[in-house]
Amino acid sequence: MRFFAVIIALVSAVAAETFTVVVGGNSTITYNPTSVNATNGDVIQFQFVSKNHTVTQSTFAAPCTAMAGGVDSGFQAVATNATTFPVWSFTLTNTSAPLWFYCAQVGHCSNDGMVFAVNPTATKSFEAFQAAALTTGTNSTTTNSTTSATASASGTSTASTASGSTVASASAAIASQSAVGGATTANGAPRLALSVTIGLVTVIGVGGGLLL
């Protein structure tokens, strides 16, 4: 019985997929892609390549406001001419409803529509979510922090800084506002052959300072 459990776990790990989302590509105020369709066990990985952005969970009704108990990457500052970039991820563990995210940098959500969705639906589409974000007024922000992340419903995020480098780990099993199940899309992402119980984050050489 134990043997079959191990086999099932290994098959699930191989079947899981990693979706890569570029944050601030070409110095834009965007997530690219703006949404993904994922299933349980898939990893959503965010690569921060410019400025100072966050990936902060919100709700469809309040696009630019942090959801209580939601996951949050914290601010991930990228210095000009950086050659290494922060990466933050979480593992999808519940597909009962869409997931909604925004950048908490001042104005990026409400002025520029910098939002992201996991498994949007026909009735709750990414376009409707972004349109609602643009009508909210100025969203709040914090100072130049790359280490803070809020606890999820069944996981925590922690971070520490040493010798100019930041290493963060996030366990993001999301019990509420989780994604609607759908067909998994390739999205140019590699297959994940490791355990999918946690999202592993490695952030290297992050420059300080608030980069708007």
Side-chain angles (χ1 to χ4, degrees), residues 18-24 30-36 43-49 55 86-88 115-118 187 189:
T18 297
F19 294 86
T20 300
V21 181
V22 177
V23 184
T30 61
Y31 301 103
N32 185 25
T34 55
S35 66
V36 298
V43 175
I44 317 298
Q45 180 186 89
F46 298 86
Q47 296 181 352
F48 297 82
V49 299
V55 178
V87 174
W88 180 83
V115 293
F116 174 78
V118 176
N187 201 36

Side-chain angles (χ1 to χ4, degrees), residues 38-44 57 71 90-97 99 118-119 152-155 170-181 195-199:
T39 59
N40 282 345
D42 287 345
V43 175
I44 317 298
Q57 190 175 4
V71 296
F90 67 86
T91 300
L92 187 62
T93 60
N94 189 312
T95 57
S96 63
L99 282 170
V118 176
N119 294 345
S152 71
S154 57
S171 172
I174 301 167
S176 63
Q177 290 297 313
S178 296
V180 166
S195 172
V196 294
T197 57
I198 62 170

